[in-house]
Amino acid sequence: PRTLILNNLEFDHADIFPDLPAIQRQFHHLMRTVPERGLIISPTFEPALAEVLQMGCWTPVEHTAKEGSGIVATWSYHLLEKDGSRFEVIHDGQLAGSVSWGLTGLHNVHNGLAAIAAAHHAGVFPERGAEALSKFKNVKRRMEVRATISEITLYDDFAHHPTAITTTLEGLRAR
């Protein structure tokens, strides 16, 4: 890949990997395939990914973070709605667009921010990336409304890893 997004890294797939360091080794092997003129996009708040980057990286890295977190990052976001359905995109400290979409949860905000950063690496202006994300229609079985009866809404959401389940539920509660 020329552009690589690293979103998160936690122990998963215990049927394949014995422990977190085994998964980190695989991530490091993946990072090593990105050319030195490529780009790796990684959040500042994932310690397991920071450890992978410390294993050695010769590709430029742009970090993502929440605005005001006290961490310097190339890309950050400012929530306009607590549920993550609206947020501003900050690039190098400057407002670069805003996203208003039907998704909720901080994991979706992080994914969207990383997608805008990756698109920018491919030549797309951040404000255009934000406009495109605002038109994004979610895929099947990702917070898909199956029915609404009285004041009860039934969602179908394909199983995530535990952290994404947590942020999905936080987003729903905030909504």
Side-chain angles (χ1 to χ4, degrees):
R2 188 175 82 95
T3 309
L4 175 64
I5 296 172
L6 302 174
N7 281 343
N8 58 7
L9 180 56
E10 55 191 52
F11 183 62
D12 199 356
H13 301 288
D15 57 327
I16 300 170
F17 300 104
D19 53 22
L20 181 60
I23 299 172
Q24 287 175 305
R25 254 188 320 281
Q26 295 307 311
F27 269 61
H28 187 246
H29 292 314
L30 172 62
M31 278 180 22
R32 292 176 57 185
T33 67
V34 182
E36 65 184 60
R37 290 186 322 267
L39 179 66
I40 295 173
I41 300 161
S42 181
T44 56
F45 49 83
E46 288 286 345
L49 287 176
E51 291 173 6
V52 172
L53 289 167
Q54 290 171 0
M55 290 179 184
C57 181
W58 47 84
T59 304
V61 178
E62 290 185 359
H63 287 98
T64 61
K66 181 178 181 180
E67 183 188 43
S69 63
I71 300 170
V72 177
T74 307
W75 298 91
S76 59
Y77 66 90
H78 172 77
L79 289 179
L80 298 172
E81 296 290 341
K82 285 174 35 176
D83 66 0
S85 63
R86 293 182 54 236
F87 63 95
E88 291 176 328
V89 176
I90 314 296
H91 180 234
D92 287 331
Q94 301 295 315
L95 179 63
S98 62
V99 175
S100 179
W101 58 359
L103 279 67
T104 61
L106 286 181
H107 65 290
N108 284 318
V109 173
H110 299 153
N111 292 345
L113 184 63
I116 290 170
H120 183 258
H121 187 239
V124 177
F125 291 111
E127 56 274 5
R128 297 287 294 174
E131 289 172 19
L133 274 186
S134 292
K135 296 175 185 173
F136 177 73
K137 301 293 181 214
N138 209 0
V139 297
K140 288 253 184 222
R141 300 198 64 216
R142 294 294 175 150
M143 294 307 299
E144 181 181 5
V145 175
R146 299 296 295 194
T148 301
I149 302 165
S150 299
E151 295 180 15
I152 299 170
T153 303
L154 176 66
Y155 293 91
D156 183 4
D157 191 45
F158 184 74
H160 298 284
H161 55 83
T163 302
I165 291 171
T166 299
T167 64
T168 297
L169 293 174
E170 288 170 353
L172 279 172
R173 286 183 187 108
R175 179 170 276 183

